Amino acid sequence: MEIYSVLRDYGYVLIFLIVGAVFALGPLVISHFVAPRSFGPTRDEIYECGIPTFGSAWIQVAVIYYLFALIFLAFDVDVIFLFPVLLAFGKGYVWRDFIEILLFIGILSLVIIYAWCKGVFEWKRKPENR
């Protein structure tokens, strides 16, 4: 009798996996049958937001762009860290939590000041050579 209970539990897992596969593969199969097809030279053209392209897509992006993106990502992750800490705030260790948050925000503030002094937030454009 115990084996039927175990098999039933595995059956639920199998049904869950099948439903998940249908939800994952279903839109791909439906779009294969429903999506319009196009043939000819226009199919090989680059299409970007409905605007005809001009010039080369290979441009050099300044390193400052990547620094700016990394700083944004770091602060975004740090803010995500603050949510669980703030939700647990006041559940027993009020002063310890307050000092921990204050220290965390203080270190973030020092990072912002350091980046500002290094000129990361100044977006300088290079003159284009035409």
Side-chain angles (χ1 to χ4, degrees):
M1 198 60 160
E2 173 105 6
I3 190 76
Y4 294 117
S5 174
V6 171
L7 287 177
R8 187 178 59 220
D9 290 341
Y10 279 121
Y12 292 142
V13 171
L14 181 65
I15 291 171
F16 182 77
L17 289 174
I18 290 171
V19 169
V22 167
F23 273 105
L25 297 175
L28 296 174
V29 172
I30 291 170
S31 69
H32 177 71
F33 291 115
V34 176
R37 305 276 187 257
S38 66
F39 302 100
T42 57
R43 183 178 174 106
D44 295 331
E45 288 183 16
I46 298 172
Y47 180 78
E48 183 67 35
C49 300
I51 301 172
T53 57
F54 59 91
S56 174
W58 296 100
I59 59 171
Q60 290 183 348
V61 180
V63 175
I64 194 73
Y65 173 77
Y66 296 108
L67 287 174
F68 200 79
L70 285 173
I71 288 175
F72 171 77
L73 187 65
F75 282 100
D76 194 35
V77 169
D78 293 339
V79 168
I80 290 173
F81 169 75
L82 280 177
F83 280 121
V85 172
L86 292 175
L87 288 175
F89 186 74
K91 300 276 196 278
Y93 300 103
V94 177
W95 282 107
R96 187 202 68 174
D97 293 342
F98 179 72
I99 292 171
E100 180 180 331
I101 293 172
L102 198 64
L103 209 109
F104 183 73
I105 293 175
I107 291 172
L108 285 181
S109 301
L110 288 176
V111 171
I112 290 175
I113 292 170
Y114 177 77
W116 194 345
C117 291
K118 287 293 185 180
V120 172
F121 299 121
E122 296 174 12
W123 198 275
K124 298 175 189 156
R125 288 184 152 280
K126 291 183 179 178
E128 294 184 19
N129 297 331
R130 288 188 182 218

